[in-house]
Amino acid sequence: MRVAVLFGIALLLGVLLGLLELGQPTSMIISMIVIVVLGTYLFIYPIYWEKNIRKIESYLEKRRKNPVFKLYYGMGNRIDQDVKEATEALLQKYKDPTRQALFKTLHALYEDDILRVKKDVEDIRPPQYKAYYQAIIAVEEGELEQAAELRKQVKSEWMKHALAAGIAKKAGNHEEYVTEVQKAYEKSRGMQRYVIYKQFEEDMKVV
């Protein structure tokens, strides 16, 4: 549908510029700029910058043939079969050990299998992402000081607040937990925002 919309707009734009008689070089430049901007909005904006959870979820649901989108949609809605099939497809498609480690870690976390997470996380790159998942492991094991130290290696603001929320919850500090959940949500956009919302959905209702 989005491709059809983009094609239709490009066609109308071509007709309009022809009527304005701006000249071929100028018309081509304007057309390219408009198409790039629209293409970015229609296809990239929902993944990286969209803030509306329903729009993000709708975007993912309609594109479940793509294993990445299927994985995130499946994880967000606890559809075990989708998560399993998407993970298998991604492992088959991407042979790079660092990518495989990330998909395996996400799957293990989904299944609450910390032993598998500890094994798979070793190959994750870049270092800040490895530290993020190591911090999650530390929180699950009650090693809160270690989790706090690992958190310092994470640059992404929403990740920092998500980890702080996990640490606060494990420590029994509900007020701080709710505050950090809200901060993580506010700092995130696109699929990151979707992940945060789905992870803390029950708590987001009272935030």
PDB file of all heavy atoms in Angstrom, residues 5 11 14 25 70 81 85 89 91 172:
ATOM      1  N   VAL A   5       1.103   4.266  -2.754  1.00  0.00           N
ATOM      2  CA  VAL A   5       0.936   5.693  -2.398  1.00  0.00           C
ATOM      3  C   VAL A   5       2.114   6.505  -2.912  1.00  0.00           C
ATOM      4  O   VAL A   5       1.937   7.577  -3.508  1.00  0.00           O
ATOM      5  CB  VAL A   5       0.819   5.851  -0.865  1.00  0.00           C
ATOM      6  CG1 VAL A   5       0.890   7.331  -0.480  1.00  0.00           C
ATOM      7  CG2 VAL A   5      -0.485   5.254  -0.367  1.00  0.00           C
ATOM      8  N   LEU A  11       3.827  10.192  -9.486  1.00  0.00           N
ATOM      9  CA  LEU A  11       3.175  10.413 -10.774  1.00  0.00           C
ATOM     10  C   LEU A  11       2.505  11.783 -10.810  1.00  0.00           C
ATOM     11  O   LEU A  11       2.659  12.553 -11.775  1.00  0.00           O
ATOM     12  CB  LEU A  11       2.143   9.312 -11.025  1.00  0.00           C
ATOM     13  CG  LEU A  11       1.409   9.358 -12.373  1.00  0.00           C
ATOM     14  CD1 LEU A  11       2.415   9.188 -13.518  1.00  0.00           C
ATOM     15  CD2 LEU A  11       0.359   8.260 -12.440  1.00  0.00           C
ATOM     16  N   GLY A  14       5.066  14.540 -10.992  1.00  0.00           N
ATOM     17  CA  GLY A  14       5.620  14.684 -12.336  1.00  0.00           C
ATOM     18  C   GLY A  14       4.704  15.501 -13.234  1.00  0.00           C
ATOM     19  O   GLY A  14       5.160  16.374 -13.986  1.00  0.00           O
ATOM     20  N   PRO A  25      16.047  19.722 -15.423  1.00  0.00           N
ATOM     21  CA  PRO A  25      16.954  19.560 -14.263  1.00  0.00           C
ATOM     22  C   PRO A  25      16.300  19.936 -12.937  1.00  0.00           C
ATOM     23  O   PRO A  25      16.399  19.207 -11.954  1.00  0.00           O
ATOM     24  CB  PRO A  25      18.115  20.504 -14.592  1.00  0.00           C
ATOM     25  CG  PRO A  25      18.071  20.649 -16.071  1.00  0.00           C
ATOM     26  CD  PRO A  25      16.616  20.629 -16.426  1.00  0.00           C
ATOM     27  N   LYS A  70       8.441  -9.720  12.254  1.00  0.00           N
ATOM     28  CA  LYS A  70       7.691 -10.841  12.836  1.00  0.00           C
ATOM     29  C   LYS A  70       8.204 -11.163  14.231  1.00  0.00           C
ATOM     30  O   LYS A  70       7.429 -11.455  15.145  1.00  0.00           O
ATOM     31  CB  LYS A  70       7.822 -12.070  11.934  1.00  0.00           C
ATOM     32  CG  LYS A  70       6.990 -13.268  12.380  1.00  0.00           C
ATOM     33  CD  LYS A  70       7.086 -14.389  11.357  1.00  0.00           C
ATOM     34  CE  LYS A  70       6.189 -15.559  11.720  1.00  0.00           C
ATOM     35  NZ  LYS A  70       6.210 -16.618  10.696  1.00  0.00           N
ATOM     36  N   GLN A  81       4.945 -19.107  18.448  1.00  0.00           N
ATOM     37  CA  GLN A  81       5.255 -19.664  17.139  1.00  0.00           C
ATOM     38  C   GLN A  81       5.919 -18.642  16.232  1.00  0.00           C
ATOM     39  O   GLN A  81       6.866 -18.955  15.509  1.00  0.00           O
ATOM     40  CB  GLN A  81       3.971 -20.194  16.479  1.00  0.00           C
ATOM     41  CG  GLN A  81       4.191 -21.016  15.202  1.00  0.00           C
ATOM     42  CD  GLN A  81       4.968 -22.293  15.456  1.00  0.00           C
ATOM     43  OE1 GLN A  81       4.963 -22.824  16.561  1.00  0.00           O
ATOM     44  NE2 GLN A  81       5.648 -22.777  14.435  1.00  0.00           N
ATOM     45  N   GLU A  85       9.662 -19.122  14.707  1.00  0.00           N
ATOM     46  CA  GLU A  85       9.849 -19.130  13.250  1.00  0.00           C
ATOM     47  C   GLU A  85      10.728 -17.968  12.798  1.00  0.00           C
ATOM     48  O   GLU A  85      11.592 -18.142  11.925  1.00  0.00           O
ATOM     49  CB  GLU A  85       8.496 -19.068  12.550  1.00  0.00           C
ATOM     50  CG  GLU A  85       7.661 -20.333  12.707  1.00  0.00           C
ATOM     51  CD  GLU A  85       6.286 -20.200  12.086  1.00  0.00           C
ATOM     52  OE1 GLU A  85       5.969 -19.093  11.580  1.00  0.00           O
ATOM     53  OE2 GLU A  85       5.524 -21.187  12.103  1.00  0.00           O
ATOM     54  N   ALA A  89      14.413 -18.222  10.997  1.00  0.00           N
ATOM     55  CA  ALA A  89      14.616 -17.590   9.683  1.00  0.00           C
ATOM     56  C   ALA A  89      15.798 -16.629   9.718  1.00  0.00           C
ATOM     57  O   ALA A  89      16.614 -16.590   8.778  1.00  0.00           O
ATOM     58  CB  ALA A  89      13.345 -16.861   9.254  1.00  0.00           C
ATOM     59  N   LEU A  91      18.385 -16.688  11.822  1.00  0.00           N
ATOM     60  CA  LEU A  91      19.632 -17.437  11.999  1.00  0.00           C
ATOM     61  C   LEU A  91      20.054 -18.091  10.682  1.00  0.00           C
ATOM     62  O   LEU A  91      21.249 -18.242  10.406  1.00  0.00           O
ATOM     63  CB  LEU A  91      19.463 -18.499  13.084  1.00  0.00           C
ATOM     64  CG  LEU A  91      19.282 -17.966  14.510  1.00  0.00           C
ATOM     65  CD1 LEU A  91      19.031 -19.120  15.481  1.00  0.00           C
ATOM     66  CD2 LEU A  91      20.500 -17.169  14.948  1.00  0.00           C
ATOM     67  N   GLY A 172      13.169  -3.580  45.046  1.00  0.00           N
ATOM     68  CA  GLY A 172      11.919  -3.332  45.757  1.00  0.00           C
ATOM     69  C   GLY A 172      11.538  -1.868  45.855  1.00  0.00           C
ATOM     70  O   GLY A 172      10.680  -1.496  46.652  1.00  0.00           O
TER      71      GLY A 172
END
